[in-house]
Amino acid sequence: MAQKYGKVYLVGSGPGDPELLTLKARRLLDTTEVVVYDQLPGKAIIDSIPDSAEKIDAGKHAGDHTLTQDEINAVIIRKAKEGKNVLRLKGGDPYMFGRGGEEAEELIAEGIEFEVVPGITSAVAVPAYAGIPVTHRDHASMVTFITGHEDPTKEETALDWETLAKFDGTIVIFMGVKMLGRNVGELIKFGKDPKTPVALIEKGTRPDQRVTVGTLENIAEVSKERGVKAPAITIIGNVVSLHDILGEQVSNYFD
């Protein structure tokens, strides 16, 4: 008789506000036997994991990983092969710079059934909570998402900064705090207006959310002065100017 493996759920927890969890994510969190989580979902969501579940901290703090990605894959696979249903809890959406695709490939290779549960991506939700729509008919009809933290083993960057500098829309950078100076420098070098508005949003959608606004030419310095730390989303483009108007409503989310 073939061995009965458990099922794995690759679940996006959204950007951090527990009320932005999908109904499906909440149901699975409340019923799955094993939860493998990192820190991006935030304390409120992590604390809501039932005591009945086996909790495995996969770490993933900025610059401090409790487990490597290979070790996380191995844990998920081992628990599933023990016949347990496993929930891999990830911040945002599993397939939006969340390495969910890599984990899915490993599960297929091991013959383990899995299901992806999309989450609200921080690329849209975090700017919204800061009063910044990523598209706006008067300011931006295009948006692009990039990672500020590429695979360190790659010999060359996959980011085409020359093309991005010419991009007449909103640029959203994930995990870009550490390389902020390089990122804005590349955009300016290839001709993007140094006066282009930039916003850094720390701990977006959470009660301790903080927004830092500047321009391409000064945001690195302003960020250093304010001690901006990950997790944070970087928004570049004219839509950032709407923060002064729409950002006044931010407090309503946390009342």
Side-chain angles (χ1 to χ4, degrees), residues 69-70 73-74 77 100-112:
Q69 187 61 50
D70 286 343
N73 295 343
I77 290 167
E102 297 172 45
E103 293 168 355
E105 288 180 299
E106 292 292 327
L107 294 168
I108 289 174
E110 295 291 334
I112 297 171

Side-chain angles (χ1 to χ4, degrees), residues 42-238:
K43 186 177 186 299
I45 292 175
I46 293 170
D47 287 349
S48 76
I49 300 171
D51 292 336
S52 58
E54 179 183 357
K55 305 176 188 68
I56 300 175
D57 184 357
K60 295 274 187 178
H61 302 266
D64 181 16
H65 293 184
T66 301
L67 300 178
T68 66
Q69 187 61 50
D70 286 343
E71 290 170 334
I72 292 171
N73 295 343
V75 166
I76 295 170
I77 290 167
R78 183 175 74 250
K79 291 297 179 180
K81 287 188 173 181
E82 290 174 3
K84 297 178 180 178
N85 290 330
V86 181
L87 189 150
R88 171 68 173 111
L89 185 65
K90 310 174 79 66
D93 179 86
Y95 281 2
M96 178 68 84
F97 300 125
R99 306 192 74 169
E102 297 172 45
E103 293 168 355
E105 288 180 299
E106 292 292 327
L107 294 168
I108 289 174
E110 295 291 334
I112 297 171
E113 183 183 5
F114 72 94
E115 183 176 342
V116 178
V117 180
I120 296 175
T121 174
S122 57
V124 174
V126 168
Y129 268 52
I132 302 172
V134 294
T135 64
H136 187 286
R137 193 162 60 172
D138 295 333
H139 298 279
S141 298
M142 300 182 291
V143 59
T144 188
F145 307 125
I146 67 175
T147 176
H149 182 70
E150 294 183 276
D151 184 345
T153 64
K154 293 196 302 186
E155 293 184 1
E156 296 182 0
T157 179
L159 297 175
D160 185 344
W161 290 107
E162 185 173 3
T163 297
L164 287 168
K166 298 173 183 176
F167 182 71
D168 189 22
T170 306
I171 300 173
V172 180
I173 306 179
F174 289 69
M175 302 168 288
V177 172
K178 185 176 180 181
M179 301 300 292
L180 178 63
R182 182 209 67 175
N183 294 344
V184 298
E186 289 291 308
L187 290 171
I188 291 173
K189 181 176 75 174
F190 286 110
K192 197 157 190 69
D193 184 354
K195 302 295 184 184
T196 301
V198 181
L200 300 174
I201 310 168
E202 302 168 80
K203 299 181 179 179
T205 78
R206 306 174 194 182
D208 54 349
Q209 169 180 298
R210 188 170 70 140
V211 183
T212 298
V213 176
T215 62
L216 279 179
E217 64 183 352
N218 70 12
I219 192 64
E221 181 180 349
V222 173
S223 169
K224 187 177 297 184
E225 291 173 353
R226 286 175 56 83
V228 173
K229 296 180 180 178
I233 290 282
T234 305
I235 315 296
I236 301 172
N238 290 331

Side-chain angles (χ1 to χ4, degrees), residues 241-253:
S241 63
L242 293 168
H243 168 70
D244 291 339
I245 304 169
L246 305 180
E248 295 179 0
Q249 301 301 314
V250 169
S251 62
N252 293 342
Y253 294 118

